[in-house]
Amino acid sequence: MRAPLAASGLALAVAGSLLVATPAVAAPFVDGGISAGGTTWRVEGLGAGQQPEIKEAQRPGWEGNSFTFDQGVRPVSLAADSTGPTDVDLAECAADGDLSPAADSTGDQIASCELSPLETGDGTLEAALEWRFFDDGATVRARMSVTNATGDTVSGATIGFRDNYYQDTDTRLGASTTAGHPAAEDDAVVDGDLLWITYAALDATSIEAPVILTAAGTADSTVTPQMASSAGDGGDLQITLYALPDIEPGDTVEVVHFYVWQFFEFDEVNPVDAADARANLEPAALFVPSALAAVETAWDARGRFDTLSDRDAAGIAEPSAVLNWNAVDEPSDPAEPELADTGVENAWPLTALAAILVLCGAGIIALRRRAA
């Protein structure tokens, strides 16, 4: 997992921070609600020395649990002395963060902070975090950029995101790249998944959590997601890591995740005591069939993340430099150009004859001049 990957020249050519410069009207932001498109997300930990996280989402008319995440969308890195892939370091903001409207016409809201330097691989990387809350009231884009500000190449660096889907033992995988739709009751996210959808089957008070689609990249990218901890089958902890290519001095690279909320109207609650619900309603998702309908809706819209569209890349100065969404540049050996079949290889007799004719012509001209 730690083996360096070959980076594309374009991805590593972007120096300096890839995060968009803080737009005008930016205000200091540490924690609180961020509203976009009718949804309000609860954000915490954007203060200096704190660990940033998204915890919940509220929307008018939503009757379920607002706590979609318990410490979710958290930037992480893997230190050289880590005891294993799940032993990640949670990133901290180096200074208080900012909240601002996007500097374009999208209506999105952007929360960001500079992160404390990350000790990962064989070096230290400067880092930054940006969350973009889309005006559709459903999508959050998480960006983590790292910069090599040292004088040496940094190899073996690993970064990613840690999500706790706050559905505890009721977390189910509704669909994924490898499992398809619908996923089996005991399926979980695995290596090879580029997109997955989770839902809460049932909790102790019969309150559903929103369905969440997570998109982690494309198959033809410079880096692809590697699962250190997998959500689904009753597990709510998801750690998605990316083994970065060698990062040369002065270069900046980044990874991007998308999270899409699916709110839905509840079906009539099944009249079963909570204590007996799990035994009586396995698969538990049948308790609220509309949750499964929301999973299907999210799955049907998955084509959005087959590539990084202009809308989803809004505000990213160099979208092709996002390592988990851009295609790998594979240099090929330049082919020798084929010459047209002009018979050049057999032209030397004609060339010799032409030279003889030229000499003869010169001799004739000389004789005429003497005769004159």
Side-chain angles (χ1 to χ4, degrees):
M1 185 176 74
R2 301 292 299 282
L5 301 175
S8 68
L10 181 57
L12 293 179
V14 182
S17 175
L18 286 180
L19 298 188
V20 178
T22 304
V25 201
F29 183 86
V30 172
D31 58 50
I34 298 177
S35 296
T39 299
T40 299
W41 286 268
R42 174 73 184 180
V43 170
E44 297 182 359
L46 282 177
Q50 298 179 20
Q51 297 168 351
E53 58 184 308
I54 297 175
K55 294 188 69 72
E56 61 181 279
Q58 292 275 16
R59 187 173 180 85
W62 169 246
E63 302 173 358
N65 196 330
S66 62
F67 283 88
T68 311
F69 288 111
D70 175 16
Q71 303 175 328
V73 200
R74 306 182 77 176
V76 299
S77 63
L78 197 64
D81 60 354
S82 171
T83 59
T86 60
D87 181 24
V88 294
D89 292 333
L90 297 170
E92 298 180 350
C93 291
D96 288 354
D98 291 304
L99 176 64
S100 61
D104 48 36
S105 59
T106 59
D108 301 346
Q109 296 291 319
I110 299 173
S112 62
C113 80
E114 295 296 322
L115 299 173
S116 297
L118 308 178
E119 301 291 337
T120 181
D122 61 3
T124 301
L125 297 172
E126 294 184 355
L129 170 70
E130 177 196 274
W131 291 322
R132 187 177 182 116
F133 299 85
F134 281 46
D135 193 42
D136 63 1
T139 305
V140 173
R141 186 184 72 196
R143 297 175 64 196
M144 187 179 181
S145 74
V146 292
T147 300
N148 182 1
T150 72
D152 300 312
T153 300
V154 174
S155 301
T158 300
I159 63 174
F161 295 98
R162 179 187 185 275
D163 302 312
N164 190 329
Y165 289 101
Y166 203 66
Q167 294 151 26
D168 301 325
T169 57
D170 296 318
T171 299
R172 296 291 188 274
L173 181 68
S176 71
T177 306
T178 59
H181 175 269
E185 179 79 6
D186 58 353
D187 278 337
V189 181
V190 297
D191 285 345
D193 281 331
L194 301 168
L195 177 147
W196 53 91
I197 302 169
T198 56
Y199 64 94
L202 177 69
D203 66 15
T205 58
S206 304
I207 297 178
E208 285 285 335
V211 169
I212 297 290
L213 178 151
T214 303
T218 54
D220 59 351
S221 296
T222 303
V223 299
T224 53
Q226 299 165 351
M227 312 309 167
S229 182
S230 299
D233 192 22
D236 62 351
L237 181 62
Q238 175 72 39
I239 301 176
T240 310
L241 299 177
Y242 299 88
L244 300 181
D246 290 349
I247 304 176
E248 300 299 328
D251 284 340
T252 298
V253 296
E254 68 175 282
V255 296
V256 167
H257 268 203
F258 290 91
Y259 302 83
V260 183
W261 272 251
Q262 285 284 341
F263 300 96
F264 52 89
E265 293 185 4
F266 281 25
D267 297 307
E268 183 177 350
V269 176
N270 228 325
V272 177
D273 292 339
D276 300 328
R278 186 177 300 283
N280 293 337
L281 294 174
E282 288 294 331
L286 295 179
F287 185 74
V288 181
S290 56
L292 294 183
V295 169
E296 185 172 2
T297 298
W299 178 250
D300 290 343
R302 69 191 182 280
R304 167 185 176 183
F305 298 107
D306 288 343
T307 186
L308 193 60
S309 68
D310 290 343
R311 177 63 181 96
D312 287 335
I316 299 179
E318 190 57 68
S320 60
V322 180
L323 296 188
N324 59 322
W325 290 92
N326 71 298
V328 179
D329 288 336
E330 296 182 355
S332 57
D333 295 332
E336 293 185 3
E338 294 185 4
L339 297 177
D341 186 11
T342 59
V344 171
E345 65 277 9
N346 297 319
W348 69 268
L350 295 177
T351 303
L353 178 60
I356 294 172
L357 292 176
V358 169
L359 291 175
C360 291
I364 293 173
I365 293 173
L367 291 174
R368 287 179 177 175
R369 287 179 177 174
R370 289 177 181 175

